Amino acid sequence: MPYVDRQNRICGFLDIEENEGSGKFLRRYFILDTQQGSLVWFMDNPQNLPVGTDCVGSLKLTYISKVSDATKLRPKAEFCFVINAGMRKFFLQANDQQDLVEWVNALNKATKITVPKLIDGQQNSENLKGLPDVAVPKKQVSYKTEIIGGVPIVTQTQHDSGDCADRAEREAIHRSHSQLPYFLSKPAQDHSVIKAGYCVKQGAVMRNWKRRYFLLEENSMSYFKSDSEKEPLRIIPLKEVHKVQECKQSDIMMRDNLFEVVTTSRTFYIQADSPEDMHSWIKAVSAAIVAQRGPGRSAATMRQARRLSNPCIQRYTSRIGECSSTLLQLCTCLRCVTSCLSLLLPPVRCLD
């Protein structure tokens, strides 16, 4: 889902068809900056890239005429929408339907231009005078003219049958397994998997940030180098996790959507792609911990149960019980002796 970062920019991951008509969608990190008036995309979140890394592509908001759903244009691409920018169409793929709607609304809102009302039609006629003459092709094709940011844009509204056939053929091309979004590229998981997906994790030694594939199961949370790896880099048993929560040091680390998994030996700092994803991970891990320990059994009660189950502690507590019973018996015997003496001995009278 798109989210607003610390610089008041709308950010998030999308898949884009960088080469028009190729049918190949690549995952990129998008930043919609209304202050700079541009939409830029990177290979990954710039926070995870070296300082000064250039963007993969960019588009000025003044060039965008319309952003709309492209499900009918690209029926093979799920959750697809299109950005019309002059004579070029950028096809993008969202993560789900809600993600698509939010991106389309955000882009249309950012590119909306308020044009002052005209007193008469003179200004429009003056702008239209500067338009170049459009040569009529052999086949009948219709065009439309729009003035965007003071710049006249001529776009084709109707395509001939040959172009439609080519487009249909291009849409029939299937994407390879390696180019699928991360949530589709992983094969079907076992039923014990609770949640899976990519996050960015801080290293223990170098303190650098690397993108890893996380897998939450019933008894453990593990992470891999990628979703195609079979052996995890590390397995974190849930019985060692004390708590999982939103990181309180996110301002110091300058990281958005940061949460922490606190274990007995180490605190893992993990960055999600969006606030929704972060809260989803926190809830999923917390629920898995509760399910493993049973309802009403917190980490403190589990530690106490493990402590009391220690044989040494059991022997110690049993000895305390034995000592307590011995003292009680001794006190009872002393009471009996006192009562017997009071019966045998006559009362002592005080002499004046």
Side-chain angles (χ1 to χ4, degrees), residues 16-82:
I16 182 172
E17 185 187 48
E18 292 184 338
N19 297 324
E20 189 176 8
S22 65
K24 296 179 180 179
F25 287 78
L26 303 175
R27 194 157 185 83
R28 299 287 183 255
Y29 186 85
F30 283 77
I31 298 177
L32 176 58
D33 193 342
T34 54
Q35 299 295 329
Q36 298 294 329
S38 63
L39 175 69
V40 296
W41 54 95
F42 297 81
M43 293 289 291
D44 194 4
N45 190 330
Q47 295 178 349
N48 305 324
L49 299 174
V51 179
T53 302
D54 294 330
C55 62
V56 177
S58 63
L59 181 63
K60 287 188 175 294
L61 298 182
T62 53
Y63 293 163
I64 300 176
S65 58
K66 186 181 179 181
V67 184
S68 59
D69 193 330
T71 306
K72 294 182 179 180
L73 295 175
R74 292 295 179 87
K76 298 291 183 180
E78 232 183 350
F79 313 119
C80 185
F81 64 96
V82 59

Side-chain angles (χ1 to χ4, degrees), residues 217-332:
E217 298 177 288
E218 294 178 355
N219 299 316
S220 65
M221 182 180 183
S222 53
Y223 55 88
F224 304 74
K225 191 173 183 180
S226 68
D227 58 355
S228 60
E229 296 290 331
K230 295 182 179 180
E231 295 296 329
L233 297 175
R234 181 161 185 163
I235 300 176
I236 307 171
L238 293 182
K239 63 182 180 180
E240 297 182 2
V241 178
H242 297 324
K243 59 182 176 179
V244 52
Q245 62 185 4
E246 187 173 355
C247 184
K248 299 177 182 179
Q249 300 180 0
S250 58
D251 293 335
I252 301 174
M253 294 186 176
M254 295 300 291
R255 291 268 165 177
D256 298 314
N257 317 319
L258 193 66
F259 66 98
E260 57 185 8
V261 178
V262 183
T263 67
T264 308
S265 58
R266 177 184 166 188
T267 299
F268 294 86
Y269 295 101
I270 303 171
Q271 183 185 17
D273 291 341
S274 64
E276 292 82 5
D277 196 26
M278 177 191 69
H279 292 299
S280 176
W281 274 108
I282 293 175
K283 290 180 181 178
V285 177
S286 300
I289 294 173
V290 172
Q292 185 196 49
R293 295 171 179 168
R297 301 186 71 187
S298 62
T301 58
M302 288 295 291
R303 286 195 298 270
Q304 184 179 4
R306 285 196 296 268
R307 183 174 62 84
L308 293 177
S309 64
N310 192 325
C312 296
I313 295 177
Q314 288 179 351
R315 286 196 297 271
Y316 177 73
T317 52
S318 63
R319 287 176 181 175
I320 292 176
E322 292 174 1
C323 294
S324 300
S325 61
T326 304
L327 287 173
L328 181 61
Q329 293 175 0
L330 181 61
C331 293
T332 305

Side-chain angles (χ1 to χ4, degrees), residues 39-141:
L39 175 69
V40 296
W41 54 95
F42 297 81
M43 293 289 291
D44 194 4
N45 190 330
Q47 295 178 349
N48 305 324
L49 299 174
V51 179
T53 302
D54 294 330
C55 62
V56 177
S58 63
L59 181 63
K60 287 188 175 294
L61 298 182
T62 53
Y63 293 163
I64 300 176
S65 58
K66 186 181 179 181
V67 184
S68 59
D69 193 330
T71 306
K72 294 182 179 180
L73 295 175
R74 292 295 179 87
K76 298 291 183 180
E78 232 183 350
F79 313 119
C80 185
F81 64 96
V82 59
I83 299 177
N84 296 278
M87 301 298 292
R88 170 74 195 272
K89 293 180 184 292
F90 293 89
F91 288 92
L92 298 98
Q93 230 180 338
N95 295 326
D96 51 40
Q97 186 61 33
Q98 184 180 353
D99 193 29
L100 182 150
V101 172
E102 291 186 6
W103 271 109
V104 170
N105 292 339
L107 287 166
N108 279 325
K109 183 178 179 181
T111 56
K112 186 177 181 181
I113 301 172
T114 304
V115 181
K117 294 182 179 180
L118 299 176
I119 300 175
D120 49 36
Q122 292 181 355
Q123 187 170 351
N124 274 342
S125 60
E126 290 177 0
N127 290 336
L128 292 175
K129 286 179 184 178
L131 288 176
D133 296 331
V134 179
V136 180
K138 293 179 181 179
K139 294 182 180 181
Q140 188 175 358
V141 182

